[in-house]
Amino acid sequence: MTIKESQELIDAWINKHGVRYFSELTNMTILTEEVGELARAMVLVYGEQSYKPGDAKAELSDEIADVLWVLICIANQTGVDLTEALTANLEKKNLRDYDRHKNNPKLR
């Protein structure tokens, strides 16, 4: 699935099942919540914290998909074409960071 197809599928789902998009501020708050859930899953899977008795195992793929879903909703409702935005962002990084990481002694 392409990024454009993802944006179109989510838009169609929102309009068919979700009635309408939540406001931009609501979606920003939901995004913050979803990133927090992803952070919690990451610390349980890769960090030093452990599951409490009765905790469900974290599904990283599901948490990442939730973050992506809300990001796509925000892009859709603000008129951002994510394919164009990501392409432009990569071009910016290629120009700005071409040698930056290669020349960083901390990364050697």
Side-chain angles (χ1 to χ4, degrees):
M1 175 182 328
T2 66
I3 296 170
K4 182 172 183 54
E5 289 169 339
S6 298
Q7 284 192 259
E8 291 169 352
L9 283 170
I10 287 173
D11 185 63
W13 190 95
I14 293 289
N15 287 306
K16 182 176 182 181
H17 302 287
V19 180
R20 64 171 177 81
Y21 285 92
F22 296 132
S23 73
E24 295 85 353
L25 182 58
T26 299
N27 272 336
M28 187 62 228
T29 304
I30 293 169
L31 177 61
T32 302
E33 177 189 2
E34 296 298 350
V35 169
E37 290 177 14
L38 174 59
R40 177 76 176 139
M42 292 289 295
V43 78
L44 290 170
V45 173
Y46 297 106
E48 283 78 37
Q49 287 193 349
S50 59
Y51 290 93
K52 294 179 218 168
D55 275 355
K57 294 293 182 192
E59 292 290 334
L60 290 178
S61 61
D62 190 50
E63 298 301 339
I64 291 169
D66 284 343
V67 170
L68 185 58
W69 175 279
V70 180
L71 279 173
I72 291 173
C73 285
I74 292 170
N76 284 352
Q77 71 192 126
T78 59
V80 172
D81 180 318
L82 284 172
T83 301
E84 290 177 10
L86 186 57
T87 300
N89 190 270
L90 285 168
E91 289 173 9
K92 177 184 75 175
K93 284 176 175 39
N94 282 337
L95 294 172
R96 183 189 66 199
D97 300 331
Y98 179 74
D99 285 331
R100 185 172 134 224
H101 300 296
K102 292 177 187 174
N103 295 329
N104 183 347
K106 294 179 182 180
L107 296 177
R108 289 199 171 108

